[in-house]
Amino acid sequence: MKNSNKKNTTYSEVNKVSQKKITRSNSYSFKTKMLLLAVSFIFSLEYGICQQYSLVQKKNIGLAVSGMVGPDGYGILYLPTVYYKKNRNSYFMGPVIQNQKMNVSGAQLNYDYSIVNEGEGYYKRLELFCFVKALYQGNALLGKQTLCVENLANAENAKNASQAHFKSIEFYAGFGFKIKLFDNIKWVSSIGTGGYTSFNSPSRFYYAEYSGHHLGIMFNAGISIDLKK
């Protein structure tokens, strides 16, 4: 009996020791897996940060030219610009040239933010953006359509209206898209809302009297050319 009790005690102790070893082994295996998972997570996070950092550092410069129509009554405006792009942000500046007599009427500033960059997701050649645009016109002429309205409403002042120069400031905001046509050439189109205020609207003009400041819709379309890749 004593021998059997000793054997049972020995077996139980052996079982306890083996169970402890199994528990320790399982614990070690679990900790190893968690450590490997943590390391892989850190590496993946670091890779993502590096990718994001590389995107932030992406810079570009280029030229763009577009045509714009808005509620200002100045007709078609040509907007040649130089731009600087860093990641999703683009900054434009340049003169404002009227189709009316190819008059250089002022200057413009524009800011674009790319909501969807080219190559993201399913958009291989398409870029979607929002924008804010400001124009200062210190030597603007009334457009042909506005002069026709002025002539019909007040024929006596038609000649004066065609020779008058206006000063105004304009602000617009909206959305647009860019389509890659070639390696470094894109078609750009946008639409926005905003308005203008004229600082020297002569009250004797029909157009200026009733539209010295106005809100409306603007359309813009043209091309951009990247000079640096």
Side-chain angles (χ1 to χ4, degrees):
M1 293 292 293
K2 290 181 179 181
N3 291 332
S4 62
N5 289 334
K6 286 180 180 181
K7 289 180 180 180
N8 291 333
T9 302
T10 302
Y11 287 140
S12 63
E13 289 177 354
V14 170
N15 288 332
K16 288 180 180 179
V17 171
S18 62
Q19 288 177 358
K20 287 181 180 180
K21 288 182 179 180
I22 293 171
T23 303
R24 287 177 183 175
S25 177
N26 291 337
S27 177
Y28 178 79
S29 177
F30 176 77
K31 290 179 179 179
T32 302
K33 291 179 180 179
M34 292 301 295
L35 180 61
L36 292 174
L37 183 62
V39 170
S40 63
F41 174 77
I42 291 171
F43 274 110
S44 63
L45 181 62
E46 184 178 1
Y47 177 77
I49 292 173
C50 290
Q51 289 291 96
Q52 186 177 6
Y53 182 76
S54 64
L55 285 175
V56 169
Q57 296 304 309
K58 186 175 181 180
K59 301 175 183 179
N60 209 346
I61 58 174
L63 302 174
V65 61
S66 61
M68 169 186 158
V69 291
D72 53 17
Y74 302 147
I76 299 174
L77 304 177
Y78 299 119
L79 308 176
T81 59
V82 294
Y83 65 84
Y84 171 75
K85 183 174 182 179
K86 183 177 181 181
N87 192 23
R88 296 181 181 271
N89 304 289
S90 299
Y91 307 88
F92 301 76
M93 65 180 298
V96 178
I97 303 173
Q98 290 184 268
N99 184 59
Q100 179 75 327
K101 300 181 180 180
M102 297 304 293
N103 177 51
V104 180
S105 58
Q108 46 133 346
L109 296 173
N110 191 55
Y111 168 74
D112 289 1
Y113 179 81
S114 297
I115 303 171
V116 178
N117 262 329
E118 176 191 337
E120 289 183 350
Y122 298 102
Y123 302 97
K124 301 301 181 183
R125 305 174 68 87
L126 179 67
E127 179 182 339
L128 304 177
F129 65 91
C130 56
F131 72 89
V132 177
K133 183 186 295 290
L135 297 90
Y136 171 74
Q137 308 214 56
N139 188 37
L141 299 170
L142 294 179
K144 290 182 179 180
Q145 184 175 356
T146 308
L147 289 175
C148 287
V149 174
E150 183 69 31
N151 186 40
L152 291 173
N154 190 359
E156 295 179 358
N157 277 326
K159 185 176 180 180
N160 292 331
S162 65
Q163 296 175 350
H165 294 259
F166 295 84
K167 293 182 180 179
S168 64
I169 188 168
E170 306 177 37
F171 291 99
Y172 302 98
F175 298 88
F177 64 88
K178 300 177 184 178
I179 299 176
K180 187 175 182 179
L181 302 177
F182 303 102
D183 185 45
N184 61 338
I185 300 177
K186 296 179 181 179
W187 171 262
V188 184
S189 185
S190 61
I191 183 173
T193 60
Y196 74 95
T197 296
S198 180
F199 301 116
N200 61 334
S201 301
S203 59
R204 66 181 182 275
F205 291 161
Y206 173 85
Y207 168 77
E209 181 179 1
Y210 292 97
S211 302
H213 52 84
H214 191 63
L215 298 176
I217 298 175
M218 57 78 64
F219 299 93
N220 191 83
I223 60 172
S224 67
I225 304 173
D226 294 334
L227 300 180
K228 178 182 176 182
K229 278 290 186 180

